[in-house]
Amino acid sequence: MAWTAGDPSAAEALRRGRILSSGLYLDGVPSSKAPVVYSPAYDIEFNGIEKQHPFDSAKWGRVRNFLVDAGLLQDDRIIEPLEASEDDLLVVHSESYLSSLKSSAKVARIVEISLLQTKLLGHSFCSSVPAVALLPNLLVQQKLLYPFRKQVGGSILSAKLALERGWAINIGGGFHHCSAEEGGGFCAYADISLCIHFAFVRLNISRVMIIDLDAHQGNGHEKDFGSDVAGRVYTLDMYNSGIYPFDHVAKKYIDQKVELDGGTKTEDYLEILDKALKVAESRFQPQLILYNAGTDILDGDPLGSLKVSPEGVITRDEKVFRFAKDQSIPLLMMTSGGYMKSSARVISDSIVNLSNKNLIDIGTHCIEIE
């Protein structure tokens, strides 16, 4: 039974029961651990097929490597999440949607391999049957969906850590195109929606702000909370209006829509962000901020089509963390989209900068950004 099916009160009780019985919150995480969540299982190795996608499928591990090499983190201080189980996923997703992922062709459409093959190869046509669609689903589950489920577990856990420590970073997650009933845009599971529902039940909060600064509209979580008449979720979504997903239905549910022109440059971007944050502060007082920090806004990203410099991304993240810290609001950051090899370095440099500016406390001395 999906949470949207049948009697709403019964569905809500079922969802609540699933949340309360979940082990994803990892009770008893030692205080010696930093609220940085990552698993080597985040990275995707798919017999070379992952190279057909412009997304750096080893981005998450490379971020971890840069942070360790910089001396900011040690492996024994990183928190590894559990994989989100089927019961965990059913908190938001329907059984029919999860069953649909047992079709390799369905998963191929979600990760858009055929479209991205075309972009990479420069062809004016695309294969009618993406390579992933031809593989046994068991392999697709192990090599592609399992890493996604680990990242979902990381996002859910990070909300708890943020409430306990004031901030948390999941070096992964941010699958903002996936809703309860529909995946897309390399997003198979709705980790943002799941994260929020877990927080409502387990963390005793009722007001969450999503700050979605990925280059693309976050249509998944917007659909999931569009009918939330209690107004528990406030969405600030700042995105390039001229690129995927063109979801006009989901746009109706955005509380604060900031549409950017393609080619927006660093100075203009940061000025627009400053104004947007001031508006958000005046409109909503959250108990938790979910920050979707996509690096596909970088100049040169093949899918973001904006022109923000690496320094601009670092400043953007600093502004959002300062926005939260100045108001004493716990913040969870997810890394979301970013389709260039340089993204991992920019993310790690940004985390180092946050530490240097005392916006996060990892317990290390000031480190120079390379």
Side-chain angles (χ1 to χ4, degrees):
M1 178 180 176
W3 70 270
T4 54
D7 177 12
S9 60
E12 185 61 33
L14 179 58
R15 174 165 60 190
R16 182 178 179 84
R18 284 180 168 137
I19 292 171
L20 291 173
S21 64
S22 173
L24 291 178
Y25 268 7
L26 293 184
D27 294 332
V29 173
S31 59
S32 59
K33 298 273 191 180
V36 176
V37 180
Y38 165 75
S39 168
Y42 280 14
D43 289 349
I44 297 170
E45 278 188 72
F46 210 153
N47 300 328
I49 293 175
E50 74 279 1
K51 296 176 183 178
Q52 299 177 24
H53 199 297
F55 199 101
D56 178 8
S57 64
K59 176 178 79 171
W60 309 285
R62 289 174 1 94
V63 173
R64 170 261 169 214
N65 293 343
F66 287 138
L67 292 173
V68 171
D69 291 346
L72 190 68
L73 275 176
Q74 298 79 41
D75 277 333
D76 61 0
R77 300 191 63 229
I78 297 172
I79 301 171
E80 179 164 358
L82 298 175
E83 172 194 6
S85 68
E86 182 174 349
D87 252 16
D88 295 324
L89 298 171
L90 284 168
V91 167
V92 164
H93 294 295
S94 67
E95 290 179 353
S96 62
Y97 175 74
L98 295 182
S99 292
S100 76
L101 299 181
K102 296 175 182 177
S103 162
S104 296
K106 171 72 171 181
V107 176
R109 288 192 294 271
I110 288 172
V111 299
E112 300 175 319
I113 292 294
S114 60
L115 170 63
L116 295 163
Q117 282 176 327
T118 304
K119 287 181 176 291
L120 279 177
L121 298 175
H123 294 162
S124 59
F125 61 90
C126 54
S127 169
S128 60
V129 183
V132 170
L134 300 176
L135 294 174
N137 189 256
L138 179 62
L139 187 61
V140 173
Q141 293 285 334
Q142 292 174 343
K143 297 294 188 178
L144 187 59
L145 294 182
Y146 171 68
F148 287 164
R149 291 193 294 269
K150 285 285 278 189
Q151 293 190 42
V152 170
S155 294
I156 292 170
L157 172 61
S158 295
K160 173 179 180 281
L161 295 171
L163 263 289
E164 292 174 346
R165 312 282 189 89
W167 64 275
I169 296 172
N170 182 19
I171 303 178
F175 302 130
H176 65 157
H177 295 307
C178 188
S179 65
E181 294 293 343
E182 184 179 8
F186 207 64
C187 302
Y189 302 112
D191 68 325
I192 293 177
S193 300
L194 284 159
C195 181
I196 292 172
H197 281 294
F198 268 73
F200 284 158
V201 173
R202 294 281 289 267
L203 303 179
N204 195 31
I205 63 174
S206 58
R207 300 188 309 279
V208 174
M209 178 181 288
I210 300 170
I211 299 178
D212 195 335
L213 301 186
D214 188 275
H216 301 83
Q217 177 198 352
N219 57 322
H221 57 76
E222 288 157 6
K223 288 178 179 177
D224 284 343
F225 293 104
S227 59
D228 184 44
V229 294
R232 298 176 297 174
V233 179
Y234 181 94
T235 303
L236 162 57
D237 196 350
M238 182 165 150
Y239 59 91
N240 183 348
S241 61
I243 59 175
Y244 175 92
F246 304 107
D247 193 329
H248 298 290
V249 172
K251 283 183 183 182
K252 298 175 184 177
Y253 304 130
I254 303 174
D255 298 285
Q256 189 179 342
K257 178 175 61 179
V258 183
E259 295 190 324
L260 303 171
D261 295 328
T264 297
K265 296 182 179 179
T266 303
E267 184 176 349
D268 291 336
Y269 181 94
L270 294 175
E271 182 179 343
I272 293 168
L273 176 60
D274 281 337
K275 293 177 180 177
L277 291 174
K278 288 180 181 178
V279 171
E281 182 177 0
S282 69
R283 289 185 180 178
F284 194 76
Q285 289 72 52
Q287 296 163 293
L288 174 67
I289 293 173
L290 268 64
Y291 174 34
N292 202 44
T295 48
D296 48 3
I297 67 169
L298 280 166
D299 188 7
D301 188 280
L303 300 181
S305 299
L306 298 174
K307 292 186 177 296
V308 179
S309 67
E311 296 76 16
V313 172
I314 292 170
T315 301
R316 176 200 68 172
D317 294 347
E318 181 180 332
K319 287 178 180 292
V320 175
F321 271 78
R322 195 173 300 281
F323 171 82
K325 188 168 186 177
D326 286 350
Q327 300 177 79
S328 300
I329 303 169
L331 180 147
L332 151 62
M333 171 177 159
M334 296 162 283
T335 56
S336 198
Y339 302 92
M340 298 192 297
K341 289 286 187 182
S342 59
S343 281
R345 168 62 77 180
V346 175
I347 294 167
S348 61
D349 284 350
S350 180
I351 295 172
V352 169
N353 179 66
L354 293 171
S355 177
N356 288 344
K357 297 291 177 65
N358 294 316
L359 291 169
I360 61 175
D361 181 10
I362 300 185
T364 53
H365 299 293
C366 187
I367 294 172
E368 183 176 350
I369 296 175
E370 295 184 8

